[in-house]
Structure formats: structure tokens, C-alpha cells
Amino acid sequence: MLHMIRWQVLLLAVISGCAKLPTSDDLQAFGDAASSGSSVVKSAMTSAELVAARYDQEKAAQSYLVNGKTAAFAIPKRQTTIPRESMSAMIGALENLSLYTKAIANAADQKNVEELEAAAANLGKSAATLAEASGAPAAPIVAPALTASGRLLGYALADQYTREILTIIQENDPTVAKLVDLLKDDFELIAGDLEFQVGDYSAERENTIRLIRRDPRVTRAALYDHYMAARADIVANEALQDAVANGQVLLEKIKTTHHKLATGDRDVQTAVTRFEKSASDLAALITAVREGRAK
């Protein structure tokens, strides 16, 4: 009954001009961008582990410079300060968010909501798991999404499939909001962990070039090259900190754009376009700092 009343109110809003009906193109654009964005945020989330591995490599290189010993094939993995189970829950949540938003795009393109219904169910489970791992109060986040047979009302002038997709989006909007809020809280821990790892790596990278400078056979030109390479490596790691901060912003934009779709916000098309741009920009930043050191 509440579901029918909620959709009747939304229907009146659309008719009166207070709401904007998303098109299937809007849904597909948001789904594709949010799925890609979620995967990019996952890469940002594991940045501390990446820097920890670079720290290990640097220590192994120093050992080789000092005594000729190498651990190139057995580099010890330096642990980050975030518990494994917590990181696993975060990664799982982002993966399911990516699958859910990708399913929105697929549903809009292929006119089939079965994949979206399954992805929405998994998203709810992932949100509950993340809440437990984060120590958040155990409480139901949202009622399960309705099946196709239960969707009796929808937007005026919308085709059947768009109505079905929008119903699922509306029913799962509280889940997306809760999941994003939990992930943003976790990002505060990640940011602190990454700052610690970057500081340690920077110190060891400087120690390495000091060791190289002790060798009288190294020319000034070579020393310059070593210094500039070390500086570039440090800057690249510092850029990862910016990426993590931007990851938090992108998560918030996933939440707000999803909510605009769910509520028929008049600005939904502009919001989707801006979100696409933000997701693309962060993807470019993450790729630059993870796949290669700063130049």
C-alpha cells in the first residue's frame, strides 16, 4: 500500500512538472559511468597496499646496494594497518555497487530487469556485511526490491521497462545511500593508512639515493637522474592521496545522482552528464599514478 502511494505521489509530481523523467539513455549513461567509477574507487582503496609493496621493493634494493644480496624474487609483503576482513568487506561492497550500476545500464539497453533485480539483492547483502565489518548498528536498510509482477504504477509516459528500472532504483536508493556513507567512513581510515605508508616510502626512497651517492664511481649526471627519478616516485605516491580524496567525492556523486534518478529530479540529465565527467577524470588520475610513476 505504501509503495502504491509513493508512486502515486511521484506520478503527480511528473505530471505537474515538478519532476523530470529520466530516459533510458540517462539510465544507461549513469549505469556505465557509476560501474566504471566504482571500479576506479576500488583501485584507489587499495593504494595503501600498493605503496606498502613499493616500500618493500625499496628496502630490497637497498640491501642489494649495500651487500649485494637481493630479494627480487621473494619480496616480503608489508602489511597495512587496516584489518583484512574490513578491507575485504569494502572491496566486496564496491564490486557489488559496480555490478548493480552496470546492471542498470544493461537493463536500459537490453530491456531486461532480471540481472538488475539479482544485483540489487546482492547489493543489499553487501551493505549488511559492510555495516557489520564497520561496527555500524545492525538494522534493516531497505525493503527488498519488488518483482516485475508487483510494479503496478510508474511514471506517466514512461515505457514498461523504464518504469521497472526506476522502481528498482527507487526501492534501492536507501541501500545505495547507506553503502556509500559506510564506504566514505572507511575511506577516512584508508587515507590515514595511506599517509603513513607514503611517509615511510618517501623516507626509504631518499635513503636509497643517499646510498647511491656514496659510490664515488657514480657521475654527477647519473646522480641527477637518480634524484629526479626518486622525486618522481615520491610525487606519484603523493598523487595517490589525492586520488583517495577524489574517490570519496565520486562515491558521494554516485549517491546523489542515483537519488536524482530515484526521485525524478528536474536536473537529472545535467547531473548524469557531470557525473560521467567526474568518473572519467578520476579514472585518468588513478591510471596515471598506478600504472606508472609520475614523469
Side-chain angles (χ1 to χ4, degrees), residues 45 130 177-189 247-249 251-253 255:
M45 185 170 279
L130 182 61
K178 181 64 174 179
L179 188 71
V180 167
D181 288 344
L182 288 170
L183 285 169
K184 286 173 62 182
D185 289 343
D186 289 333
F187 258 79
E188 295 299 325
L189 298 175
Q248 289 178 287
V249 173
L251 281 171
E252 181 64 22
K253 288 186 177 181
K255 182 178 80 171

Side-chain angles (χ1 to χ4, degrees), residues 60-74:
Q62 291 172 12
S63 178
Y64 177 72
L65 288 172
V66 172
N67 53 37
K69 294 182 179 180
T70 177
F73 301 103

Side-chain angles (χ1 to χ4, degrees), residues 37-70:
S38 299
S39 298
V40 168
V41 171
K42 185 177 75 172
S43 294
M45 185 170 279
T46 58
S47 294
E49 291 187 349
L50 173 65
V51 178
R54 289 176 177 174
Y55 172 93
D56 287 337
Q57 293 170 356
E58 203 64 28
K59 294 295 289 185
Q62 291 172 12
S63 178
Y64 177 72
L65 288 172
V66 172
N67 53 37
K69 294 182 179 180
T70 177

Side-chain angles (χ1 to χ4, degrees), residues 127-245:
T129 299
L130 182 61
E132 182 179 356
S134 303
I141 297 174
V142 67
L146 298 179
T147 60
S149 62
R151 299 185 188 107
L152 303 179
L153 294 173
Y155 282 113
L157 308 179
D159 65 71
Q160 171 192 352
Y161 299 108
T162 301
R163 289 200 308 270
E164 292 180 0
I165 295 168
L166 290 171
T167 302
I168 296 174
I169 288 174
Q170 185 187 41
E171 292 294 327
N172 287 277
D173 194 48
T175 300
V176 172
K178 181 64 174 179
L179 188 71
V180 167
D181 288 344
L182 288 170
L183 285 169
K184 286 173 62 182
D185 289 343
D186 289 333
F187 258 79
E188 295 299 325
L189 298 175
I190 292 169
D193 193 27
L194 181 58
E195 183 178 6
F196 171 77
Q197 301 291 355
V198 168
D200 277 5
Y201 172 83
S202 297
E204 293 306 327
R205 194 69 181 89
E206 291 176 7
N207 285 338
T208 299
I209 59 174
R210 289 193 181 100
L211 287 173
I212 294 171
R213 183 176 174 78
R214 292 177 186 174
D215 189 338
R217 296 168 299 178
V218 180
T219 65
R220 288 182 178 273
L223 285 175
Y224 174 83
D225 290 341
H226 284 298
Y227 173 82
M228 295 303 292
R231 183 58 195 154
D233 289 346
I234 291 172
V235 169
N237 282 340
E238 290 172 347
L240 284 172
Q241 293 179 285
D242 292 334
V244 167

Side-chain angles (χ1 to χ4, degrees), residues 6 10 15 50 60 77 130 165 194 253 261 263 269 282 295:
R6 183 167 63 245
L10 189 52
I15 295 173
L50 173 65
K77 183 62 182 293
L130 182 61
I165 295 168
L194 181 58
K253 288 186 177 181
L261 290 170
T263 57
Q269 290 179 337
L282 181 58
K295 302 299 182 182

Side-chain angles (χ1 to χ4, degrees), residues 260-279:
K260 286 179 183 291
L261 290 170
T263 57
D265 191 287
R266 291 176 62 84
D267 190 40
V268 66
Q269 290 179 337
T270 300
V272 169
T273 299
R274 289 175 177 171
F275 173 73
E276 284 185 286
K277 178 66 165 57
S278 297

